[in-house]
């Protein structure tokens, strides 16, 4: 028996006593921390965070355990007054729930209930995210977005089929794509854009193998020349100048002058969901945002990038799924011409899009509600009779309360 195995019962007993004493003193108070290494990860959790903020019994905290120096940028879209926590301070306190949308793992000696929400459905880095080669049994709750990944986890041995951690929740971030809270005209007009002009969203994935590196400038230039409103949403990692992430290129500096030449816009927010509502067509290579766009049942154009499929270890089944619901092209000119064709016949592939959306997103529209219900359960707290529904789109942070290091 190892030292850890000997000490584990003692540690668990001490943690249990700590919780009981806290609950005896403040029976209705709870503390929740959200941990993210990128703004995209926070965007995945943001609807849940906003909902919990409406309950005065809860104290919510934002933390980047791996990139504390970038916390202000990572949580830039958090509601005003959101509190940022340093990893060092977090180690001293107890949290009733610790929520992440990636496999970050903050050191919290006093214990917590660890909840994994995931941050996409595209099947990239398959051996890590879709069919893990390591156990996921350390997580107390796994909020699966769809049954496909749940079954893949069981099949790979990462979790047991009867695990009490398994919950089929869906993707809270995508609720606003189907719940009627956003409209195309409303999103565009809120940003002083004319809804009459056809709108194309280009959202490539990251890595030096992405379409952004191969043809991004040519594609954006071609779309602008064709007279479309062009929206560009870059992956967080494409903003990192490391070669492995972006090819070492400052893509904002490269693309903004092209966008400024006409009806172009660089999306800065961590959550692209409102812009999915605004777009008439989406162009991507292989990204979760492409699958999320299926919930809008609008045309999807896929740029085939064989090196990306290999370099990002994308599961073949996900490549086939996206190919089945999209118009595939291999270069920038073909993508621009494809936009014109799909705008003329947006209903083509509609049935395939809707069928795949139903499979990849469990009961969309109420995922946030299910996630919140599960969190109240793990925190052993009775939910309030009514929690006000927050705005679907983040307004951008105007101030963040930063706790001392």
């Amino acid at each position: 028996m190892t030292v850890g195995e000997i000490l584990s019962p003692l540690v668990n007993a001490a943690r249990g006593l700590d919780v009981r004493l806290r609950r005896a003193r403040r029976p209705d108070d709870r503390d929740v921390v959200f941990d993210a290494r990128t703004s995209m990860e926070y965007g995945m959790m943001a609807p849940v965070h906003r909902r919990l903020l409406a309950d005065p019994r809860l104290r919510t905290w934002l933390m980047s355990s791996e990139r504390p120096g970038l916390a202000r940028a990572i949580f830039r879209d958090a509601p005003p007054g959101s509190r940022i926590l340093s990893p060092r301070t977090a180690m001293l306190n107890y949290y009733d729930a610790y929520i992440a949308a990636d496999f970050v793992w903050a050191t919290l000696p006093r214990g917590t209930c660890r909840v994994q929400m995931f941050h996409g459905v595209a099947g990239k880095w398959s051996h890590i995210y879709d069919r893990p080669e390591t156990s996921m049994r350390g997580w107390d709750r796994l909020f699966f977005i769809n049954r496909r990944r749940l079954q893949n986890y069981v099949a790979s041995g990462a979790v047991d089929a009867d695990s009490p951690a398994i919950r089929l929740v869906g993707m809270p971030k995508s609720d606003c794509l189907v719940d009627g809270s956003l409209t195309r005209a409303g999103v565009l007009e809120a940003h002083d854009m004319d809804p009459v002009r056809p709108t194309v969203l280009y959202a490539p994935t990251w890595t030096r193998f992405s379409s952004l590196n191969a043809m991004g400038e040519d594609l954006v230039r071609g779309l602008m020349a064709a007279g479309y409103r062009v929206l560009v949403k870059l992956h967080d990692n494409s903003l990192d100048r490391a070669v492995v992430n972006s090819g070492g290129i400052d893509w904002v500096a490269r693309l903004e002058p092209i966008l400024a030449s006409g009806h172009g816009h660089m999306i800065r927010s961590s959550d692209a969901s409102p812009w999915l509502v605004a777009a008439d067509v989406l162009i991507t290579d292989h990204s979760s945002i492409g699958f999320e766009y299926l919930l809008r049942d609008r045309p999807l154009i896929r740029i085939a990038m064989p090196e990306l499929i290999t370099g990002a270890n994308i599961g073949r089944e996900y490549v086939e799924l996206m190919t089945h619901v999209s118009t595939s092209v291999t270069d920038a000119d073909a993508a621009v011409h494809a936009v014109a064709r799909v705008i003329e016949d947006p209903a083509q592939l509609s049935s395939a899009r809707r069928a795949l959306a139903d499979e990849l997103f469990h009961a969309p529209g109420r995922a946030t509600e299910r996630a919140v219900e599960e969190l109240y359960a793990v925190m052993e707290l009775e939910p309030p009779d009514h929690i006000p529904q927050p705005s679907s789109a983040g307004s951008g942070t105007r101030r963040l309360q930063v706790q001392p290091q």
Side-chain angles (χ1 to χ4, degrees), residues 160-181:
D160 301 313
D162 59 352
S163 169
I166 291 175
R167 296 292 187 277
L168 193 55
V169 168
M171 181 184 282
K173 185 190 78 166
S174 293
D175 284 347
C176 65
L177 299 181
V178 299
D179 65 9
S181 60

Side-chain angles (χ1 to χ4, degrees), residues 1 51 136 188 197 350 404:
M1 182 176 290
R51 190 73 66 88
M136 294 294 135
L188 292 172
R197 185 177 295 275
S350 175

Side-chain angles (χ1 to χ4, degrees), residues 46-48 50-51 79 176 179 181-182 271 274 388-395:
V48 176
R50 291 195 297 266
R51 190 73 66 88
C176 65
D179 65 9
S181 60
L182 296 173
D271 180 9
Q389 190 85 334
S391 170
S392 296
S395 59

Side-chain angles (χ1 to χ4, degrees), residues 219 223 226 228 301 329 331-343:
L219 174 58
L223 292 169
Y228 300 113
I301 296 174
V329 298
D331 57 59
D333 287 342
V336 175
H337 291 135
V339 171
R341 293 198 306 272
V342 299
I343 285 179

